[in-house]
Amino acid sequence: MKGFFVHERGLCESANVGPGTRIWAFAHVLPGAVLGADDNICDHVFIENDVVLGDRVTVKSGVQLWDGVRVGDDVFIGPNATFSNDRFPRSKVRPERFLTTQIRSGASIGANATILPGITVGTGAMVGAGSVVTHDVPPQAIVYGNPARIQGYCGADSGPGAPAAVSARDDGSGAEPLDLGGCRLLPLPTHDDLRGSLVAVEFSGLPFVPCRQFFVYGVSGEKVRGEHAHRVCRQILIALHGSLHVILNDCSRVREIRLDSPGRGLLLEPM
């Protein structure tokens, strides 16, 4: 085998395997599968024909990757994770085509998790052990449960010792730059007395004069909105009630901001 390793008790029928990849005992790779470089295919893994794996992918023991599975670079798939590609399976009845399931780069799938057909798990997302994933998982999201729900987010700087989310109440005065695409937190004039608090926003004092104002409400805690960038539009996000977490991603850095006060606004620059 050129450039990759197959254990003497493993079976690799595919020639499309990248250098440095290791296929261990009792694993079986069918002829049409495409494996990237430096992948690690552990014991008792089965990989069907219409499967594509990126580079540096780890597939732990007891995993079957069926037709239609697409896996990006640096993905971890835990032991006995289950993938499906047919929403209405019947014995001896094959669909016209199998649904495509995508695990984007840097994502991790926990042990015994089940991924339903046609699901996309976003870049850098984390699926907890034993979860049943019934809907697409946003980038950087942490999901677990049955059905899996969003429980938090992990950014590029997440992990032990990583800084906590920046609160919109941090500091007191002055705009706070976020070192990400020109975005920053803006203080809004707040007036407090015994009757309550009032925030007055003078449009002339903002970085731009708004052309439109809209409110988002009635969004349950596990839902995500946005997930896109604007080429030209500038926005200011304000939490009028309760709190929300905003994930900023300019394709080079990821930052999580917590908005929990009407007295601060988050300025979003284009892209």
Side-chain angles (χ1 to χ4, degrees), residues 8-9 23 45 53 58 72 78 94 97 99 115 120 178 181 185 194 202 204 246 251 258-259 261 263:
E8 61 181 9
R9 293 183 179 172
I23 300 170
V45 169
L53 271 61
T58 296
R94 292 172 62 90
R97 68 178 186 86
L99 296 174
I115 312 297
T120 295
L178 300 175
L185 288 167
L194 294 176
E202 300 289 345
S204 60
V246 183
C251 295
R258 174 181 169 87
L259 293 177
S261 168

Side-chain angles (χ1 to χ4, degrees), residues 76-260:
F76 174 87
I77 301 176
N80 300 303
T82 298
F83 293 80
S84 53
N85 59 5
D86 187 351
R87 287 179 178 157
F88 302 99
R90 298 292 188 188
S91 180
K92 305 295 185 181
V93 178
R94 292 172 62 90
E96 292 183 6
R97 68 178 186 86
F98 290 106
L99 296 174
T100 299
T101 298
Q102 300 189 59
I103 312 298
R104 298 280 170 80
S105 296
S108 292
I109 310 297
N112 293 302
T114 298
I115 312 297
L116 265 57
I119 295 292
T120 295
V121 176
T123 303
M126 176 78 68
V127 176
S131 300
V132 179
V133 181
T134 60
H135 292 84
D136 290 350
V137 177
Q140 311 295 338
I142 300 170
V143 303
Y144 53 83
N146 181 7
R149 297 287 187 234
I150 296 172
Q151 308 292 341
Y153 293 88
C154 48
D157 300 323
S158 65
V166 177
S167 170
R169 285 180 176 158
D170 288 351
D171 303 347
S173 59
E176 180 184 340
L178 300 175
D179 191 27
L180 192 149
C183 298
R184 58 189 188 271
L185 288 167
L186 305 174
L188 303 176
T190 303
H191 306 278
D192 302 307
D193 61 28
L194 294 176
R195 301 166 296 173
S197 301
L198 181 146
V199 176
V201 179
E202 300 289 345
F203 287 177
S204 60
L206 297 177
F208 61 90
V209 177
C211 297
R212 183 170 64 129
Q213 175 177 290
F214 59 90
F215 303 95
V216 177
Y217 61 94
V219 181
S220 58
E222 71 272 11
K223 298 299 183 183
V224 178
R225 295 184 59 94
E227 299 186 81
H228 63 275
H230 293 136
R231 295 182 182 275
V232 178
C233 181
R234 305 172 78 191
Q235 293 184 319
I236 296 175
L237 302 185
I238 303 172
L240 296 180
H241 179 72
S243 65
L244 65 143
H245 289 251
V246 183
I247 306 298
L248 302 176
N249 187 344
D250 65 358
C251 295
S252 61
R253 295 197 61 193
V254 177
R255 190 82 182 267
E256 179 177 349
I257 307 299
R258 174 181 169 87
L259 293 177
D260 56 11

Side-chain angles (χ1 to χ4, degrees), residues 8-40:
E8 61 181 9
R9 293 183 179 172
L11 176 58
C12 180
E13 301 180 78
S14 174
N16 296 313
V17 180
T21 287
R22 295 166 293 173
I23 300 170
W24 293 99
F26 310 110
H28 187 180
V29 180
L30 293 191
V34 177
L35 279 63
D38 296 316
D39 293 344
N40 189 35

